[in-house]
Amino acid sequence: MNLIDIYIQEVTRRLPEKSRDDIALELRSTIEDMLPENYAEKEVKEVLGNLGNPASLASEYSDRPMYLIGPRYFDTYMTLLKIVIPIVAILAFLVIVVENVISYSGEEDIVNGIINVIILILGHGIWGMFSAAMETFFWITLVFAILERKDTSKSKSPLTPGWTEWTPDDLKSISLISKEKKISTGDIFGHLLWIAIFISVYFNAGHLLGVYEKVQGKIELITPTFNQEVLHSYWLIVIVALIIEIAFVFYKLILRQWTSKLAIMNTVRNIVSTIVFIIVFSNDQLINEEFYMYLEDLLQLSFELKNSFIIIIIVLWLFLSILDIVQGFRKANTK
């Protein structure tokens, strides 16, 4: 096991991505200068011990403050802020866009009308995004500040600054993560964004999705795609599936790499979501008959679309779920 590589990994993963490579080169050069020519593991441990805890050394390279939220929670706190705030801001902006587009009357000149809608969207959208982001920042910070002050435990986990004395032997409990196994912040962000969009659409599908037409100068939903009452009737099993989905995302956030346990959890959440999806989509009343008729007329089909549409959707979902399960185990077994 290369303790130097793991030590550098544990330092640089706590730093901004743009500076990681430069600091890694600098730190490696510093460590090699401190070692004799034919060094052994004993000398490596001595040098790394002199450099100190990777988390403490990372804080020296970084200019970020650690006062309100201490080192024990700071990494998780910052990661959540970077993931959750953009999601909330994007959703707030999308809600404002949809509201303004749907409420557009079209009575004034087309060019002026479009300009007015754009101005309204930009003005209300920016303010809505800012308000949502600030509120999210406040509540996340408050929760972590309370955790910081209420936590009186004496953690003995490795790489926890200020709680136990760090030694280079702690690195032996950590594996060097390959690029194939790493879970990026972008992956977690995308997953949470998808969950947030799904929740918003699921509980408002009957008012958002469907065929829109202009009626008396206003754009209105004429033929909804889904029967909202049918969707609401399955709310309990959908919530259960969403809880498993959210738990899976936060488990990814904690591990930050693919493991056998994560691959198994990924399989479980795919099986649960697939069962729920099939149950919901197997209901004949889920999709409005008028919407099927609209598609048949639009596509000029000579056969009934209903059964074929449901089968195609379910088969596609099954294919994507199996593919995701296989990829999960492939990443977990990568060396």
Side-chain angles (χ1 to χ4, degrees):
M1 179 181 293
N2 194 333
L3 297 183
I4 297 176
D5 289 338
I6 298 176
Y7 184 89
I8 293 172
Q9 170 188 277
E10 291 304 302
V11 173
T12 54
R13 76 179 181 85
R14 294 174 165 86
L15 300 172
E17 290 187 4
K18 62 181 180 180
S19 60
R20 288 178 185 175
D21 292 339
D22 293 336
I23 292 175
L25 291 173
E26 179 184 340
L27 184 56
R28 184 180 297 278
S29 177
T30 301
I31 293 172
E32 290 174 353
D33 290 341
M34 296 171 68
L35 290 169
E37 289 186 5
N38 298 316
Y39 59 86
E41 184 174 308
K42 180 180 178 181
E43 285 84 4
V44 173
K45 289 183 179 180
E46 183 177 353
V47 169
L48 298 182
N50 291 333
L51 288 174
N53 191 305
S56 299
L57 184 58
S59 67
E60 295 178 13
Y61 279 107
S62 177
D63 295 328
R64 60 189 184 183
M66 294 187 181
Y67 305 115
L68 182 62
I69 312 296
R72 180 173 175 80
Y73 295 106
F74 191 77
D75 286 340
T76 305
Y77 166 71
M78 288 301 298
T79 301
L80 279 177
L81 284 181
K82 292 175 182 177
I83 293 174
V84 176
I85 287 181
I87 291 175
V88 172
I90 290 171
L91 286 178
F93 184 77
L94 289 177
V95 168
I96 291 170
V97 169
V98 172
E99 287 179 350
N100 280 276
V101 170
I102 292 176
S103 62
Y104 172 60
S105 63
E107 295 175 357
E108 63 268 33
D109 178 71
I110 294 178
V111 176
N112 292 332
I114 293 174
I115 293 175
N116 290 334
V117 170
I118 292 174
I119 292 173
L120 283 172
I121 289 174
L122 290 177
H124 293 168
I126 292 173
W127 175 250
M129 291 173 67
F130 177 76
S131 300
M134 290 304 297
E135 188 172 344
T136 304
F137 171 79
F138 170 78
W139 286 111
I140 292 178
T141 302
L142 179 63
V143 169
F144 275 90
I146 293 173
L147 284 175
E148 184 69 38
R149 282 148 185 78
K150 293 293 183 180
D151 189 358
T152 57
S153 64
K154 301 293 183 181
S155 174
K156 294 183 180 181
S157 61
L159 304 179
T160 304
W163 298 89
T164 56
E165 184 178 353
W166 182 87
T167 65
D169 286 326
D170 291 332
L171 294 174
K172 291 185 176 181
S173 64
I174 302 173
S175 58
L176 192 61
I177 304 172
S178 64
K179 289 183 178 180
E180 290 77 12
K181 280 192 171 186
K182 280 184 180 178
I183 298 174
S184 65
T185 302
D187 182 12
I188 297 170
F189 171 85
H191 205 147
L192 282 175
L193 179 61
W194 161 247
I195 292 173
I197 292 174
F198 175 81
I199 293 173
S200 301
V201 173
Y202 178 83
F203 290 101
N204 296 280
H207 310 292
L208 293 175
L209 303 179
V211 181
Y212 284 84
E213 289 184 6
K214 198 171 184 179
V215 179
Q216 296 180 351
K218 289 186 177 181
I219 299 175
E220 294 183 3
L221 180 63
I222 302 301
T223 307
T225 301
F226 297 101
N227 186 329
Q228 192 64 58
E229 292 182 1
V230 174
L231 284 176
H232 282 168
S233 68
Y234 294 105
W235 71 269
L236 183 58
I237 59 174
V238 170
I239 291 296
V240 170
L242 285 172
I243 290 173
I244 295 174
E245 198 78 20
I246 293 170
F248 172 72
V249 176
F250 279 96
Y251 193 42
K252 285 168 67 177
L253 178 62
I254 293 170
L255 292 181
R256 301 308 293 263
Q257 65 170 316
W258 279 93
T259 63
S260 297
K261 289 183 178 179
L262 186 62
I264 292 172
M265 188 174 182
N266 183 48
T267 302
V268 171
R269 67 107 184 173
N270 268 294
I271 291 174
V272 171
S273 62
T274 299
I275 292 173
V276 171
F277 183 83
I278 292 175
I279 290 174
V280 174
F281 256 80
S282 296
N283 191 316
D284 291 337
Q285 304 301 317
L286 176 64
I287 299 178
N288 290 318
E289 293 292 339
E290 293 81 2
F291 183 75
Y292 281 124
M293 293 172 61
Y294 172 82
L295 284 182
E296 289 172 3
D297 291 339
L298 181 65
L299 300 175
Q300 296 182 349
L301 299 177
S302 58
F303 59 91
E304 188 176 314
L305 182 63
K306 186 174 182 178
N307 294 331
S308 302
F309 183 77
I310 293 175
I311 292 172
I312 290 172
I313 293 296
I314 291 176
V315 169
L316 181 61
W317 182 281
L318 284 170
F319 172 76
L320 293 176
S321 296
I322 293 171
L323 183 63
D324 188 60
I325 291 171
V326 172
Q327 287 180 341
F329 279 103
R330 182 183 60 80
K331 292 176 183 177
N333 294 326
T334 301
K335 294 183 180 180

